[in-house]
Short mmCIF file of all heavy atoms in Angstrom, two decimals:
data_model
loop_
_atom_site.label_atom_id
_atom_site.label_comp_id
_atom_site.label_asym_id
_atom_site.label_seq_id
_atom_site.Cartn_x
_atom_site.Cartn_y
_atom_site.Cartn_z
N ILE A 7 -93.15 -37.44 27.76
CA ILE A 7 -93.30 -36.68 26.51
C ILE A 7 -93.03 -35.20 26.75
O ILE A 7 -92.36 -34.54 25.95
CB ILE A 7 -94.71 -36.92 25.90
CG1 ILE A 7 -94.82 -38.37 25.43
CG2 ILE A 7 -94.96 -35.96 24.75
CD1 ILE A 7 -96.20 -38.79 24.99
N ALA A 8 -93.53 -34.65 27.86
CA ALA A 8 -93.29 -33.24 28.18
C ALA A 8 -91.80 -32.99 28.42
O ALA A 8 -91.25 -31.98 27.96
CB ALA A 8 -94.10 -32.84 29.41
N GLY A 9 -91.13 -33.90 29.10
CA GLY A 9 -89.69 -33.75 29.35
C GLY A 9 -88.87 -33.80 28.08
O GLY A 9 -87.95 -33.01 27.88
N ILE A 10 -89.18 -34.74 27.21
CA ILE A 10 -88.47 -34.85 25.94
C ILE A 10 -88.75 -33.63 25.06
O ILE A 10 -87.84 -33.09 24.42
CB ILE A 10 -88.86 -36.17 25.22
CG1 ILE A 10 -88.30 -37.36 26.00
CG2 ILE A 10 -88.35 -36.18 23.78
CD1 ILE A 10 -88.76 -38.71 25.50
N SER A 11 -90.00 -33.17 25.06
CA SER A 11 -90.34 -31.97 24.28
C SER A 11 -89.58 -30.75 24.80
O SER A 11 -89.07 -29.93 24.02
CB SER A 11 -91.85 -31.70 24.35
OG SER A 11 -92.56 -32.78 23.81
N TRP A 12 -89.53 -30.60 26.13
CA TRP A 12 -88.81 -29.46 26.74
C TRP A 12 -87.32 -29.53 26.38
O TRP A 12 -86.72 -28.51 26.02
CB TRP A 12 -89.02 -29.48 28.24
CG TRP A 12 -88.27 -28.39 28.95
CD1 TRP A 12 -87.20 -28.52 29.75
CD2 TRP A 12 -88.55 -26.99 28.88
NE1 TRP A 12 -86.78 -27.29 30.20
CE2 TRP A 12 -87.60 -26.33 29.68
CE3 TRP A 12 -89.52 -26.23 28.24
CZ2 TRP A 12 -87.57 -24.94 29.85
CZ3 TRP A 12 -89.50 -24.85 28.40
CH2 TRP A 12 -88.54 -24.23 29.19
N ALA A 13 -86.72 -30.70 26.45
CA ALA A 13 -85.30 -30.85 26.11
C ALA A 13 -85.07 -30.53 24.63
O ALA A 13 -84.08 -29.87 24.28
CB ALA A 13 -84.85 -32.27 26.43
N PHE A 14 -85.98 -30.98 23.76
CA PHE A 14 -85.85 -30.70 22.33
C PHE A 14 -85.97 -29.20 22.05
O PHE A 14 -85.20 -28.63 21.27
CB PHE A 14 -86.91 -31.49 21.55
CG PHE A 14 -86.81 -31.31 20.07
CD1 PHE A 14 -85.77 -31.90 19.36
CD2 PHE A 14 -87.75 -30.55 19.39
CE1 PHE A 14 -85.68 -31.72 17.99
CE2 PHE A 14 -87.66 -30.37 18.03
CZ PHE A 14 -86.62 -30.95 17.32
N LEU A 15 -86.92 -28.53 22.69
CA LEU A 15 -87.08 -27.08 22.52
C LEU A 15 -85.84 -26.32 23.01
O LEU A 15 -85.39 -25.36 22.35
CB LEU A 15 -88.33 -26.58 23.26
CG LEU A 15 -89.67 -26.89 22.60
CD1 LEU A 15 -90.82 -26.49 23.51
CD2 LEU A 15 -89.78 -26.18 21.27
N CYS A 16 -85.29 -26.74 24.13
CA CYS A 16 -84.07 -26.09 24.65
C CYS A 16 -82.90 -26.31 23.69
O CYS A 16 -82.10 -25.39 23.46
CB CYS A 16 -83.73 -26.62 26.04
SG CYS A 16 -84.88 -26.06 27.31
N LEU A 17 -82.79 -27.49 23.12
CA LEU A 17 -81.73 -27.77 22.16
C LEU A 17 -81.87 -26.88 20.93
O LEU A 17 -80.88 -26.29 20.46
CB LEU A 17 -81.76 -29.25 21.76
CG LEU A 17 -80.73 -29.68 20.71
CD1 LEU A 17 -79.32 -29.55 21.28
CD2 LEU A 17 -81.01 -31.09 20.25
N ILE A 18 -83.07 -26.73 20.41
CA ILE A 18 -83.32 -25.87 19.25
C ILE A 18 -82.97 -24.41 19.61
O ILE A 18 -82.34 -23.70 18.83
CB ILE A 18 -84.79 -25.99 18.78
CG1 ILE A 18 -85.10 -27.40 18.30
CG2 ILE A 18 -85.11 -24.96 17.70
CD1 ILE A 18 -84.29 -27.84 17.09
N LEU A 19 -83.38 -23.97 20.79
CA LEU A 19 -83.09 -22.60 21.25
C LEU A 19 -81.59 -22.36 21.34
O LEU A 19 -81.09 -21.32 20.90
CB LEU A 19 -83.77 -22.35 22.60
CG LEU A 19 -83.66 -20.94 23.15
CD1 LEU A 19 -84.41 -19.96 22.27
CD2 LEU A 19 -84.20 -20.89 24.57
N ILE A 20 -80.85 -23.30 21.88
CA ILE A 20 -79.39 -23.17 21.98
C ILE A 20 -78.76 -23.11 20.60
O ILE A 20 -77.87 -22.30 20.34
CB ILE A 20 -78.80 -24.32 22.82
CG1 ILE A 20 -79.17 -24.13 24.29
CG2 ILE A 20 -77.29 -24.40 22.66
CD1 ILE A 20 -78.82 -25.30 25.17
N ILE A 21 -79.21 -23.95 19.69
CA ILE A 21 -78.66 -23.95 18.33
C ILE A 21 -78.95 -22.62 17.63
O ILE A 21 -78.10 -22.08 16.93
CB ILE A 21 -79.23 -25.14 17.51
CG1 ILE A 21 -78.66 -26.44 18.07
CG2 ILE A 21 -78.92 -25.00 16.03
CD1 ILE A 21 -79.30 -27.70 17.50
#
Side-chain angles (χ1 to χ4, degrees):
I7 292 172
I10 291 172
S11 299
W12 178 250
F14 182 72
L15 285 174
C16 289
L17 178 66
I18 297 298
L19 185 66
I20 288 172
I21 291 171

